[in-house]
Amino acid sequence: MIAYLDGRLTYKDPSFVIIDVGGMGYELRISLNTYTALPDGERCKLFTYLHIKEDAHTLYGFVNPAEKSAFLHLISISGVGPNTGLMILSSLTVAEVQQAIVREDVRTIQQVKGIGAKTAQRIILELRDKFRKGLGADSINVSFDAHNTSRDEALSALVTLGFAKNVAEKTLDAIIKREGTALTVEDLIKFALKSS
């Protein structure tokens, strides 16, 4: 099993990336959340899952262990394959998936393309207890780390776009205080651009 790949990002697309590790290019399917978090053309580390079928070996990449864990939980459900799992994690953040399952919010999960009412109910029924147990101290740390990572990545993007670092930091802190910590990097950047 390949646990992660650490190398140079040579190609980036909303649905897949190619990472050069020691002269060998690995193609990984990714979620939109991972796509947003990855820097162009720089060294990166993606946590991986290898899905083996009779006719294909597909490598999936995740920006952090929390996203990979959520993906593995989702594909353990009958009727939810890797492509559907990736679609869920492209439409919702890991925190949103967790909250929807714990709150038994069928509508939120059903809003994902390709997820019907029965599948959404099955996801909630089978993962509710696992995710509730996960919402102890560990998950608070995970969401705190994810929040810090999102803020740092948004800050880096804003500085690249020409913002002064101290102005960007104040803007991001104000947005997080106003909107909460569950924002994605993309959301933080959008709010920051609107407020400037």
Side-chain angles (χ1 to χ4, degrees), residues 39 48 61 99 164-165 177:
T48 58
Q99 288 170 1
K165 188 174 181 182
K177 190 174 181 182

Side-chain angles (χ1 to χ4, degrees), residues 114-155:
I115 302 285
K118 285 184 180 177
T119 304
Q121 288 165 352
R122 195 178 312 121
I123 289 170
I124 288 169
L125 183 67
E126 293 190 33
L127 295 181
R128 183 178 50 205
D129 293 339
K130 288 178 186 173
F131 278 41
R132 277 189 182 143
K133 285 176 188 167
L135 287 177
D138 289 346
S139 98
I140 291 165
N141 292 340
V142 165
S143 57
F144 181 72
D145 289 344
H147 150 62
N148 280 347
T149 303
S150 296
R151 183 190 176 280
D152 292 346
E153 288 169 4
L155 177 63

Side-chain angles (χ1 to χ4, degrees), residues 5-8 19-26:
L5 290 174
D6 189 343
R8 190 171 59 85
I19 297 180
D20 182 318
V21 181
M24 185 178 288
Y26 290 89

